[in-house]
Amino acid sequence: MAKGLFPRAWVKKSFYFQARISFVRVKYLFLTWLTVLVGSWVLYVQYSTYTELCRGHECKNAICDKYRKGIIDGSACSSLCDKETLYMGRCLSTLPNNQSKLGEQANLASLVSQILSVADGNKDGRVSLPEARSTWALLQMDEVLLGLLLQDRGHTPRLLGYCGDLYMTERVPYGPLYGLSLPWPLVSWVPSGVQRSMDQWFTPSWPRKAKISMGLLELVEDIFHGTYGSFLICDLAAAHFGYTDRHELRLTDTRAVVPEDEFRRTMRVLKCETDADCVYGVDCQTSCDMAEKRCREDPIQPNLAKACGALKDYLLRGAPSGLSEELERQLYACMALRGNAGQMNMEHSLILNNLKALLWRQISHTKDS
């Protein structure tokens, strides 16, 4: 009887030993994978920063050369070229210049006044020829003009200064809007479950998420038949948005916003076979007129429906238990909006106001409000 116990005990011990070895092996494999992941990320960030600084140095030399020759001038030229108190950090835009087109309802008098105020870099009450050259170069970039249009409402980073076609804006410390932005070489290496967990770790508390979300809803409200015409948000990727220390939303890449008139002109001449051919950017789509084989010009979804779709998971995750059901109902009603928002002002406004009121009731009593 006693002899029979020894083999069984030895088997149990051997199994325990093997299981422990397997556990240790998995543990070290995970730590090795994590080390490689973090190391690759650090190297990528360092390389990106280095290359941006190199390009920034070349850009600065070219700009300052024109400034010293009296060709251009601006509010940031002296700090950049003479005092050297302004240094190049991160470049936000490297795409070729594009001239922006405003809607037909644009308040041009107000716009001209705002542009002249910016153009007068030294605030001497007049715009010199070098300042005018710099301002004209800036206005060829759609992100600058749209940024100026939206910054009065606090939707875009404030323009701090310019020199030639180089411009500086206030820093937006937190971005993207939600989740964690991984460098593209690492995206395929990180399992989706781990990515979701990492997104959760880097997400603000729910009341702060509600305040950030209200900022997006207010942006949608202000660009819908606003002072300078109507605009469409054609790319609602989280990477195009950020937020400040006070959890105020900022649109950091205005190239995601398109004047509605420009959108309609583009779609009107676009040939198609199916609805899938009638896409502008990422999130703006019309339907295909099968008889004419051309895209219709009316967008299928208004900005508000797309914004609610982008915010759904962001807001519902971690929402207070007594709120989540009503919040989900309102978000789905918002996402169901179809057609041109101009044709359904009442429904659009009602859903928007109800959603903002629901969120405001949850944060109005907190310090984040």
Side-chain angles (χ1 to χ4, degrees):
M1 185 75 177
K3 288 182 180 179
L5 291 175
F6 287 108
R8 186 179 301 172
W10 183 84
V11 169
K12 285 184 177 180
K13 186 174 181 180
S14 175
F15 177 77
Y16 172 77
F17 181 69
Q18 290 177 0
R20 179 148 183 92
I21 289 177
S22 299
F23 173 76
V24 171
R25 185 179 299 165
V26 170
K27 178 180 177 182
Y28 278 105
L29 281 173
F30 175 76
L31 290 175
T32 302
W33 173 82
L34 189 61
T35 302
V36 171
L37 173 67
V38 173
S40 301
W41 193 356
V42 170
L43 287 173
Y44 174 82
V45 171
Q46 290 296 326
Y47 175 76
S48 299
T49 304
Y50 174 75
T51 53
E52 282 181 350
L53 285 173
C54 287
R55 290 194 298 268
H57 181 69
E58 295 172 0
C59 177
K60 176 187 173 183
N61 289 341
I63 290 288
C64 290
D65 182 59
K66 292 180 180 178
Y67 165 65
R68 293 188 180 104
K69 291 178 180 177
I71 300 173
I72 60 172
D73 199 357
S75 55
C77 289
S78 178
S79 299
L80 181 69
C81 305
D82 294 336
K83 301 175 184 176
E84 296 191 353
T85 55
L86 186 66
Y87 66 94
M88 304 292 291
R90 179 167 178 260
C91 183
L92 297 178
S93 175
T94 57
L95 293 183
N97 295 349
N98 294 299
Q99 190 168 4
S100 182
K101 303 175 184 65
L102 297 180
E104 293 177 357
Q105 302 175 33
N107 185 339
L108 294 180
S110 173
L111 177 60
V112 169
S113 176
Q114 188 175 1
I115 290 173
L116 289 176
S117 176
V118 171
D120 184 12
N122 57 7
K123 304 303 177 188
D124 62 353
R126 64 186 184 88
V127 178
S128 65
L129 181 58
E131 287 174 335
R133 289 195 187 104
S134 293
T135 306
W136 178 250
L138 285 177
L139 294 179
Q140 305 313 301
M141 295 183 283
D142 57 352
E143 66 262 30
V144 176
L145 184 53
L146 289 174
L148 283 174
L149 301 184
L150 296 174
Q151 76 172 7
D152 284 347
R153 298 286 295 172
H155 298 309
T156 56
R158 190 163 47 90
L159 180 68
L160 299 179
Y162 67 95
C163 185
D165 60 357
L166 175 72
Y167 67 97
M168 283 67 67
T169 63
E170 67 173 329
R171 179 175 175 266
V172 179
Y174 302 103
L177 178 60
Y178 48 82
L180 185 64
S181 179
L182 291 175
W184 65 265
L186 302 181
V187 172
S188 59
W189 286 78
V190 181
S192 57
V194 175
Q195 286 191 41
R196 283 193 295 270
S197 298
M198 293 171 71
D199 288 349
Q200 190 66 22
W201 297 340
F202 290 91
T203 297
S205 63
W206 193 88
R208 291 173 175 173
K209 288 197 295 183
K211 182 176 181 181
I212 295 167
S213 300
M214 281 193 63
L216 181 57
L217 296 176
E218 288 170 353
L219 168 64
V220 168
E221 185 175 27
D222 286 340
I223 65 175
F224 172 52
H225 294 311
T227 306
Y228 302 106
S230 290
F231 296 85
L232 297 174
I233 305 177
C234 288
D235 192 348
L236 271 157
H240 298 322
F241 300 86
Y243 56 94
T244 67
D245 291 319
R246 299 183 61 185
H247 301 94
E248 296 168 337
L249 179 109
R250 293 289 186 270
L251 173 62
T252 54
D253 189 349
T254 54
R255 289 170 299 197
V257 177
V258 180
E260 186 174 347
D261 286 345
E262 179 183 336
F263 169 80
R264 288 177 176 277
R265 283 193 297 268
T266 302
M267 303 312 293
R268 199 180 298 145
V269 298
L270 198 60
K271 296 180 180 179
C272 63
E273 295 292 335
T274 67
D275 289 350
D277 298 324
C278 301
V279 178
Y280 188 108
V282 177
D283 295 313
C284 288
Q285 183 174 6
T286 68
S287 58
C288 180
D289 185 335
M290 298 300 183
E292 298 289 334
K293 297 294 183 181
R294 288 189 182 277
C295 295
R296 296 184 175 93
E297 61 181 63
D298 290 328
I300 293 176
Q301 269 191 315
N303 288 327
L304 182 58
K306 292 180 288 189
C308 289
L311 291 174
K312 178 174 70 70
D313 292 337
Y314 180 67
L315 276 175
L316 291 178
R317 187 181 297 129
S321 56
L323 172 72
S324 56
E325 185 176 339
E326 174 62 17
L327 179 60
E328 184 175 17
R329 186 188 68 78
Q330 289 202 25
L331 284 171
Y332 274 104
C334 174
M335 291 163 58
L337 287 170
R338 287 291 182 272
N340 181 15
Q343 299 171 356
M344 50 179 188
N345 286 331
M346 291 278 293
E347 186 180 7
H348 183 277
S349 299
L350 183 63
I351 288 178
L352 177 61
N353 290 334
N354 286 344
L355 193 51
K356 285 174 60 179
L358 181 66
L359 294 175
W360 178 248
R361 285 198 299 271
Q362 303 302 314
I363 65 172
S364 59
H365 60 283
T366 69
K367 63 180 181 181
D368 296 312
S369 62

